[in-house]
Amino acid sequence: MPHSDKEKEDEAVNIVNNIRISKKRSADVVVGDHTTIKGRHCLVTYVSLGRTTGYGSANPKTHLQGTDLSTQKKYEEIILQRTLMECFEPIRRRCLLANIERDDGFVEVFEEDGSVCDDLVPVSKFLQKDLSRAFNDGMPVIWVEILKTPYSEEVIAFEKEDD
């Protein structure tokens, strides 16, 4: 029994950690897509498609450049155009800081529904130190920005709210 176009599209979509992941050939990835480059979740900033050579090479390549969503470092990769890549849409949210574990640096935050999430880690040691300093100085309200990608959830920034 042949599949409809909608069923084929649904088969190519996967949901991981409440984030929709779709499979695209690297030749179909465009600037502004979110994908994994060199094992890091990146925003694609440049795409260049190679052409087949005059000698009939059937392996044209795609040159991708992207910026890491959490550290803002630039990554690039050259892959075959027929390679399937995972594209996704990250989720950003603001939560209220509840506590910081002194031993391991894990951050506890209050979710929108009132529950506590306690397995978040700041993306860098510098952010962790600044966040700990603000928390220990007795700031009454500290908001943290959390970036959720298919396979990770990290604290990427914080904001102090003065009375």
Side-chain angles (χ1 to χ4, degrees):
M1 177 186 267
H3 293 295
S4 68
D5 289 338
K6 179 66 176 155
E7 289 178 56
K8 286 180 184 175
E9 183 179 310
D10 288 343
E11 288 175 4
V13 172
N14 190 7
I15 295 181
V16 175
N17 207 5
N18 293 331
I19 295 178
R20 185 173 185 258
I21 301 174
S22 59
K23 298 276 188 182
K24 286 186 180 180
R25 289 181 324 147
S26 66
D28 298 333
V29 174
V30 296
V31 172
D33 280 348
H34 295 88
T35 190
T36 304
I37 299 175
K38 301 283 187 188
R40 302 292 301 174
H41 298 299
C42 296
L43 170 68
V44 176
T45 57
Y46 175 79
V47 177
S48 172
L49 299 177
R51 302 195 183 275
T52 59
T53 64
Y55 300 106
S57 170
N59 295 321
K61 296 189 173 36
T62 302
H63 180 205
L64 294 172
Q65 290 180 350
T67 305
D68 188 330
L69 294 174
S70 54
T71 63
Q72 303 302 314
K73 289 184 182 178
K74 296 190 185 291
Y75 290 95
E76 64 181 297
E77 190 167 26
I78 298 175
I79 55 176
L80 294 176
Q81 284 186 6
R82 63 177 176 258
T83 304
L84 285 177
M85 301 187 71
E86 290 183 341
C87 292
F88 60 91
E89 198 60 42
I91 299 171
R92 291 178 189 260
R93 67 181 199 274
R94 264 178 95 201
C95 294
L96 186 62
L97 180 67
N99 192 15
I100 298 175
E101 296 290 329
R102 292 181 188 253
D103 300 336
D104 51 14
F106 281 94
V107 175
E108 295 179 6
V109 297
F110 290 113
E111 297 285 346
E112 293 173 359
D113 61 358
S115 64
V116 176
C117 179
D118 61 354
D119 58 350
L120 300 171
V121 177
V123 294
S124 71
K125 294 291 182 189
F126 299 115
L127 179 64
Q128 185 176 354
K129 285 181 184 178
D130 291 345
L131 188 57
S132 294
R133 189 177 306 122
F135 184 74
N136 293 335
D137 286 347
M139 285 289 165
V141 178
I142 298 176
W143 293 95
V144 294
E145 186 174 347
I146 298 169
L147 178 71
K148 186 175 184 180
T149 57
Y151 304 106
S152 68
E153 194 170 17
E154 305 170 313
V155 175
I156 59 169
F158 74 96
E159 177 183 338
K160 299 181 263 188
E161 190 174 293
D162 298 324
D163 288 339

